[in-house]
Amino acid sequence: MIDGVELERIFIEKDVVMKTLYQFMEVKASFHSFPFVYDSRIRLKRPLLSKGEWFFDSFAIWNEKTKRLEEIKGLYSDVLLDEIKQLILKGMEEQK
């Protein structure tokens, strides 16, 4: 599944269309998709003024052949992504 969660950065960005500020959390982790393990970069977001639930913004894995990150969020169900999000948040709590 996912392990080795490390916080990369937390930042704030404005959605100019929606005129809303969002807080983003970028993490790197090892993503296990049997039988392979991939380096991944995951970005979660939530409205800045709301300390509510985080949502997936992007989920990308490192492609060794092309030497770049490839977005894979659309390839997985919301149920699996929610489980991954919970593991990331749990990992962040353990690091505090």
Side-chain angles (χ1 to χ4, degrees):
M1 181 57 83
I2 201 153
D3 65 10
V5 175
E6 295 178 31
L7 180 64
E8 285 285 299
R9 66 185 178 141
I10 294 178
F11 62 98
I12 296 170
E13 199 170 278
K14 184 175 184 176
D15 181 334
V16 292
V17 175
M18 301 297 287
K19 297 182 178 159
T20 304
L21 290 173
Y22 286 97
Q23 180 180 18
F24 289 87
M25 174 173 43
E26 280 186 351
V27 299
K28 67 179 183 176
S30 296
F31 176 63
H32 301 262
S33 182
F34 184 78
F36 305 105
V37 177
Y38 302 97
D39 289 333
S40 65
R41 300 294 181 275
I42 301 163
R43 188 167 54 206
L44 302 175
K45 76 175 186 178
R46 69 178 175 191
L48 180 62
L49 300 177
S50 164
K51 295 299 179 184
E53 186 176 356
W54 289 93
F55 298 96
F56 264 91
D57 185 56
S58 70
F59 183 12
I61 60 171
W62 182 254
N63 183 324
E64 195 59 41
K65 289 182 182 178
T66 62
K67 303 291 186 205
R68 59 182 221 183
L69 288 168
E70 294 186 4
E71 182 67 39
I72 62 169
K73 183 177 93 174
L75 301 176
Y76 293 94
S77 71
D78 289 340
V79 173
L80 178 64
L81 291 175
D82 191 54
E83 187 175 331
I84 291 170
K85 177 179 68 174
Q86 296 307 320
L87 290 170
I88 291 168
L89 295 174
K90 182 180 174 186
M92 291 295 97
E93 281 296 316
E94 290 173 356
Q95 287 184 13
K96 286 185 179 179

